[in-house]
Amino acid sequence: MRELKLKAMAKVNLGLDVLRKREDGYHELRMIMQSIYLYDRIEIRRSEEKGIRVFTNLYYLPTGPENLVYRGAELLMKEFQIQSGLEIRLEKHIPVAAGLAGGSSDAAAVLLGVNRIFGLGLSKEELMERGVKLGADIPFCIMRGTVLAEGIGEKLTKLPGAPSCQVLLAKPKIHVSTKSVYGALQAEKLPFHPDIDGQIQSIRQGDLYGMAEKMGNVLETVTIQRYPEIQALKDGMEKMGALKAMMSGSGPTVFGLFDDRRTAREAYERLRKGSLAKQVYLTTFFN
């Protein structure tokens, strides 16, 4: 195989809880992660020219080792001593630094692609073991679907697909540092913990309303305090008919779940014309 085209799916967190800060500095997490039908396109080609070359449609994205796509390819090519060159074309559609795991998903797609294009024969589990060395979200982005993630995000349990609905995403005109949010989080003093077990039960029962009701993200306690426009987006979506709206990951993207396509479309149009969000998308879960 000389060429491969892939889709790298974004994710949202339907529930995100932090149990404690570990001795190694990482946080012990418990969260439900969900793939959504918003994706980057990736093309991988074998090349006669040695080395890894990355091309993107966004001028400000790095194309060297600072990019997870490059590092994903490099990881496998070094391990298996692959001498062929590789050309990667990345067409970004997932907002950057948005709490949607865009970079992690791109890296996951490249790991899958390099494995296939060079016939390395690695299983998904083996790719996930390698992927976590580059980022905690990468194993999930290889697995995809509806997943319970624990540990630092690397212990994954596949769940039944979440009930179908319309998903409205809105990213405000701000940049949030994940490292800074976790650094400021006081895990032992959190005012609430989302009902992750109850949410899993609702998912197993196909109960969209129960699942939405139990949504919660403890990182909002830090990010919303710094950026009140995130709360304004949440409130706005719920006034427009969302069953529940919540920040994804460490932010700043807010997503709302709708049980009615028309209501979701009207909310999408209103947000697009408003000033609260820079980027707005209407999509569905990917299972």
Side-chain angles (χ1 to χ4, degrees), residues 16-71:
L16 195 163
D17 197 10
V18 177
L19 306 181
R20 66 185 180 94
K21 188 171 184 180
R22 306 185 339 174
E23 293 70 29
D24 59 8
Y26 288 98
H27 287 81
E28 192 79 21
L29 306 172
R30 198 156 188 263
M31 52 192 178
I32 298 175
M33 303 175 82
Q34 173 65 54
S35 303
I36 57 172
Y37 213 80
L38 171 65
Y39 55 86
D40 295 338
R41 294 181 182 274
I42 295 174
E43 291 184 24
I44 303 176
R45 289 193 189 96
R46 293 173 73 152
S47 169
E48 302 305 320
E49 191 177 328
K50 301 275 185 189
I52 301 165
R53 290 178 298 150
V54 177
F55 304 89
T56 82
N57 61 327
L58 300 179
Y59 71 90
Y60 52 83
L61 286 182
T63 55
E66 307 87 9
N67 193 315
L68 276 174
V69 158
Y70 184 102
R71 285 159 58 195

Side-chain angles (χ1 to χ4, degrees), residues 194-247:
D195 183 5
I196 300 293
D197 288 329
Q199 198 170 42
I200 291 171
Q201 187 176 2
S202 293
I203 289 169
R204 292 191 186 282
Q205 292 170 345
D207 178 5
L208 173 63
Y209 304 100
M211 182 191 79
E213 183 186 359
K214 297 175 183 71
M215 280 166 50
N217 179 352
V218 298
L219 299 185
E220 289 183 343
T221 60
V222 176
T223 312
I224 287 177
Q225 197 170 21
R226 295 177 176 180
Y227 305 103
E229 52 263 61
I230 293 173
Q231 185 64 52
L233 266 175
K234 287 180 59 180
D235 294 342
M237 280 193 193
E238 290 180 2
K239 283 177 184 171
M240 293 176 201
L243 302 175
K244 188 79 173 276
M246 190 174 84
M247 185 181 80

Side-chain angles (χ1 to χ4, degrees), residues 10 38 40 92-103 171 253 279-281:
L38 171 65
D40 295 338
K92 286 294 291 180
H93 297 283
I94 302 170
V96 176
L100 300 174
K171 180 179 183 283
T253 302
Q279 293 163 283
V280 185
Y281 305 88

Side-chain angles (χ1 to χ4, degrees), residues 37-280:
Y37 213 80
L38 171 65
Y39 55 86
D40 295 338
R41 294 181 182 274
I42 295 174
E43 291 184 24
I44 303 176
R45 289 193 189 96
R46 293 173 73 152
S47 169
E48 302 305 320
E49 191 177 328
K50 301 275 185 189
I52 301 165
R53 290 178 298 150
V54 177
F55 304 89
T56 82
N57 61 327
L58 300 179
Y59 71 90
Y60 52 83
L61 286 182
T63 55
E66 307 87 9
N67 193 315
L68 276 174
V69 158
Y70 184 102
R71 285 159 58 195
E74 183 182 50
L75 182 75
L76 291 184
M77 291 176 77
K78 276 188 175 178
E79 179 183 348
F80 289 89
Q81 300 179 333
I82 295 167
Q83 300 303 313
S84 301
L86 194 70
E87 187 178 290
I88 302 169
R89 294 191 178 272
L90 170 60
E91 186 182 301
K92 286 294 291 180
H93 297 283
I94 302 170
V96 176
L100 300 174
S104 295
S105 191
D106 294 339
V110 166
L111 289 169
L112 287 160
V114 169
N115 183 46
R116 284 179 61 190
I117 214 163
F118 291 112
L120 304 182
L122 296 172
S123 66
K124 272 193 177 183
E125 289 71 24
E126 288 170 324
L127 288 172
M128 287 158 63
E129 286 169 12
R130 288 158 174 81
V132 75
K133 298 173 187 174
L134 300 175
D137 282 345
I138 292 176
F140 163 75
C141 293
I142 291 171
M143 181 180 278
R144 303 205 295 199
T146 311
V147 174
L148 171 66
E150 298 173 288
I152 63 168
E154 86 289 8
K155 297 175 186 173
L156 305 178
T157 305
K158 191 81 169 170
L159 298 173
S164 61
C165 61
Q166 299 291 301
V167 184
L168 180 61
L169 298 139
K171 180 179 183 283
K173 303 172 186 177
I174 53 176
H175 173 77
V176 174
S177 162
T178 299
K179 186 177 180 181
S180 171
V181 170
Y182 275 103
L185 185 75
Q186 295 182 292
E188 278 71 40
K189 297 180 181 178
L190 287 169
F192 76 97
H193 289 277
D195 183 5
I196 300 293
D197 288 329
Q199 198 170 42
I200 291 171
Q201 187 176 2
S202 293
I203 289 169
R204 292 191 186 282
Q205 292 170 345
D207 178 5
L208 173 63
Y209 304 100
M211 182 191 79
E213 183 186 359
K214 297 175 183 71
M215 280 166 50
N217 179 352
V218 298
L219 299 185
E220 289 183 343
T221 60
V222 176
T223 312
I224 287 177
Q225 197 170 21
R226 295 177 176 180
Y227 305 103
E229 52 263 61
I230 293 173
Q231 185 64 52
L233 266 175
K234 287 180 59 180
D235 294 342
M237 280 193 193
E238 290 180 2
K239 283 177 184 171
M240 293 176 201
L243 302 175
K244 188 79 173 276
M246 190 174 84
M247 185 181 80
S248 183
S250 57
T253 302
V254 171
F255 70 97
L257 303 186
F258 290 77
D259 61 354
D260 179 73
R261 188 188 299 269
R262 188 177 193 178
T263 305
R265 171 59 64 176
E266 288 171 357
Y268 166 78
E269 295 295 347
R270 286 176 65 183
L271 281 175
R272 276 188 65 206
K273 293 171 184 172
S275 59
L276 278 175
K278 184 180 180 182
Q279 293 163 283
V280 185

